[in-house]
Amino acid sequence: HGHGAPFHNLTLDEAGEYFRDTYGGQMVNLFGLQPNKEQLTALNLQPLPETLVSAEEKKEIGNIDVHAGFDETSRLIFLRPDLVSPIYKQLPSLTANNFNEFFKAPRTPGWLGYQSSPRLANATYGALSMQNRSQQWNALALAILDGRLDERNIPRYAKIMTGNPQVKTSLEPSTKNEQERERKQREWMKKKGIE
């Protein structure tokens, strides 16, 4: 998966930990692993070269590039160009350099559902991004399965995100909503005798 919701990833991480602790097996949310530079180097992996985008483009893309932005649109153009509306080339940039800016856009009336700068997207970058992700996740999976790397020692995306005060504050409304859904589900289960 490639879904960046922190609590979604936390749940997948916890499911993997439960499986390992209970059954002694390996179940890992590879997307949720955020290996540091030393761990990447130990696996002979490199991040995508920063030279793939110019300094001017990087400024337009911003520090947070998600939600149908430059990277995601590039990957879709590479994988399934027939599913990408040509309108992406005309969309104005919605640059986010911090989480306050990132969470502000979706709350803006008329938000079109994207961040960053999809207009800069291209299939060449998309191919390189997909190749880089595949190499990293394959290398991580093999190192974990071979016992050369313990996934518990790799930083987790979910912990990084939920430990950020800006993110935590911005997620409070959705957290309350999820807690209310859980309460209703438990109440329904109790009525049905499912416990």
Side-chain angles (χ1 to χ4, degrees):
H1 76 94
H3 189 230
F7 294 122
H8 169 110
N9 280 276
L10 184 61
T11 300
L12 292 173
D13 291 343
E14 289 171 348
E17 290 171 18
Y18 175 82
F19 183 77
R20 182 192 60 242
D21 294 347
T22 304
Y23 300 105
Q26 301 252 242
M27 187 172 105
V28 180
N29 172 23
L30 293 173
F31 180 83
L33 299 178
Q34 298 289 301
N36 57 39
K37 287 181 182 181
E38 294 80 22
Q39 291 164 329
L40 288 173
T41 301
L43 295 171
N44 294 319
L45 294 170
Q46 298 294 322
L48 280 174
E50 291 191 23
T51 55
L52 293 175
V53 293
S54 69
E56 187 176 295
E57 289 170 329
K58 176 64 180 150
K59 187 175 181 182
E60 185 176 330
I61 292 165
N63 294 332
I64 302 175
D65 177 24
V66 295
H67 284 281
F70 168 70
D71 183 68
E72 285 186 358
T73 304
S74 292
R75 287 185 279 128
L76 285 173
I77 292 169
F78 166 66
L79 293 170
R80 288 292 305 266
D82 57 307
L83 297 178
V84 181
S85 171
I87 194 76
Y88 81 91
K89 296 176 186 175
Q90 300 162 9
L91 295 173
S93 298
L94 293 175
T95 305
N97 288 307
N98 59 56
F99 288 112
N100 285 335
E101 292 174 359
F102 171 74
F103 286 109
K104 181 180 176 185
R107 293 183 177 112
T108 304
W111 180 58
L112 296 176
Y114 72 92
Q115 299 267 7
S116 177
S117 187
R119 75 174 194 85
L120 298 174
N122 62 80
T124 301
Y125 185 90
L128 292 169
S129 179
M130 290 300 293
Q131 182 181 25
N132 183 270
R133 284 169 171 251
S134 178
Q135 287 173 341
Q136 179 172 311
W137 291 339
N138 286 333
L140 284 167
L142 292 172
I144 291 165
L145 290 171
D146 292 344
R148 294 180 286 122
L149 191 60
D150 185 337
E151 74 271 11
R152 292 171 286 189
N153 297 327
I154 302 172
R156 298 293 178 119
Y157 167 81
K159 298 279 186 186
I160 294 166
M161 295 299 282
T162 57
N164 182 302
Q166 287 179 321
V167 172
K168 197 171 184 176
T169 299
S170 294
L171 291 176
E172 281 177 5
S174 63
T175 302
K176 287 178 184 174
N177 180 279
E178 289 168 6
Q179 289 169 339
E180 177 59 17
R181 287 175 193 249
E182 181 182 6
R183 185 194 63 75
K184 287 179 180 179
Q185 288 171 347
R186 289 189 186 280
E187 188 176 280
W188 178 86
M189 289 171 69
K190 189 174 182 179
K191 273 195 243 180
K192 295 289 185 178
I194 306 169
E195 294 186 59

